[in-house]
Amino acid sequence: MKTKNRDQSLSDSRELDGSYDQLTDSIEDDFELSTVCHRPESMDKLQEQTKFTKKELQVLYRGFKNECPSGVVNEENFKTIYSQFFPQGDSSMYAHFLFEAFDTDKNGSVSFEDFVFGLSIILRGTINDRLNWAFNLYDLNKDGCITKEEMLDIMKSIYDMMGKCTYPNMQDEAPREHVENFFQKMDRNKDGVVTIEEFIESCQKDENIMQSMQLFDNVI
């Protein structure tokens, strides 16, 4: 039984990365078993559960496996990988928030499944799906509403990530001003918090937000 599970697991992994070579079968078995601590779901399951094609999943898996040979990534490694995209600033805090959003089962690591499920929503989900995901990112303590303090933490992390090179004349109060503008638009009943309903309704009425979401439609 264990042999069958192991063989199926290796088969699923190879189906994803498209790199199975019978000539190196025994070498791959020994190497993979010693380095990989998590194996992804089968290709068919991932296709059913996401909006990616088989080819797209293979491309994503190769990239994920290249950066995370063990099959999972912890927060520190996630921050290191993410920082490569923003060398001009400090992306560590925003990467922390992003990691929390991808780590849906809160076990301190992000698997390939976690990664593609989140990415599928961001890139291929409906407008409502994407807005719900964004709201979850901003709702840091997951209590169902966004406070000014939570939004300020997010805004500061974004400005830190972009760096002074991007915004050389940015004032220290810029993140707080951004938050005030955000709440002026979205806190419809002026109770000091933004609910998911207020967030979605306000975003759907904002032409700039809607256009920015459509930019992701054909990223992969």
Side-chain angles (χ1 to χ4, degrees):
M1 188 67 173
K2 285 184 179 179
T3 303
K4 184 178 179 182
N5 289 340
R6 166 189 147 168
D7 291 344
Q8 182 61 48
S9 192
L10 284 169
S11 173
D12 292 343
S13 178
R14 287 169 183 148
E15 186 185 16
L16 273 170
D17 65 23
S19 63
Y20 177 48
D21 184 347
Q22 289 183 337
L23 293 175
T24 59
D25 183 35
S26 61
I27 297 173
E28 282 194 7
D29 278 9
D30 293 340
F31 175 73
E32 289 191 29
L33 286 172
S34 65
T35 58
V36 178
C37 62
H38 175 83
R39 301 213 175 275
E41 295 276 358
S42 70
M43 174 70 72
D44 290 340
K45 282 186 180 179
L46 287 175
Q47 276 190 275
E48 286 174 11
Q49 295 169 343
T50 69
K51 297 186 178 181
F52 294 125
T53 66
K54 179 178 179 178
K55 186 67 177 175
E56 288 168 340
L57 285 167
Q58 287 177 336
V59 169
L60 288 168
Y61 185 65
R62 285 194 201 103
F64 188 89
K65 195 176 175 184
N66 185 54
E67 294 289 350
C68 317
S70 68
V72 295
V73 57
N74 62 27
E75 184 172 338
E76 287 311 305
N77 288 339
F78 186 86
K79 287 179 179 178
T80 300
I81 294 167
Y82 200 74
S83 68
Q84 297 171 22
F85 299 99
F86 299 95
Q88 75 278 19
D90 178 3
S91 64
S92 59
M93 188 52 70
Y94 188 77
H96 164 72
F97 297 139
L98 205 55
F99 181 87
E100 291 281 300
F102 275 108
D103 181 19
T104 52
D105 51 10
K106 305 305 173 193
N107 65 354
S109 63
V110 171
S111 66
F112 180 66
E113 291 94 328
D114 294 331
F115 176 65
V116 292
F117 291 160
L119 209 59
S120 178
I121 293 171
I122 297 168
L123 301 182
R124 303 285 167 80
T126 63
I127 293 297
N128 264 20
D129 289 339
R130 298 181 200 189
L131 290 175
N132 270 287
W133 197 92
F135 182 88
N136 182 62
L137 174 67
Y138 298 150
D139 179 16
L140 300 181
N141 66 357
K142 313 306 177 197
D143 66 348
C145 59
I146 302 171
T147 65
K148 285 188 178 182
E149 289 75 19
E150 286 175 321
M151 182 54 68
L152 183 59
D153 285 344
I154 291 283
M155 284 299 111
K156 283 180 177 177
S157 73
I158 291 173
Y159 279 108
D160 287 345
M161 178 173 65
M162 301 311 292
K164 288 290 185 182
C165 295
T166 310
Y167 300 109
N169 301 317
M170 186 188 74
Q171 302 298 312
D172 291 339
E173 285 302 303
R176 191 172 295 279
E177 289 171 6
H178 194 118
V179 170
E180 290 300 328
N181 290 335
F182 174 91
F183 268 76
Q184 199 163 3
K185 281 184 180 180
M186 299 202 173
D187 183 13
R188 297 300 178 91
N189 62 357
K190 307 302 178 189
D191 63 350
V193 297
V194 172
T195 63
I196 181 67
E197 293 79 15
E198 288 174 323
F199 182 79
I200 290 177
E201 184 182 350
S202 299
C203 287
Q204 287 178 335
K205 290 179 178 179
D206 190 309
E207 190 175 332
N208 291 329
I209 293 175
M210 290 298 97
Q211 286 178 349
S212 69
M213 288 199 159
Q214 289 167 3
L215 293 175
F216 291 113
D217 286 347
N218 299 300
V219 169
I220 295 181

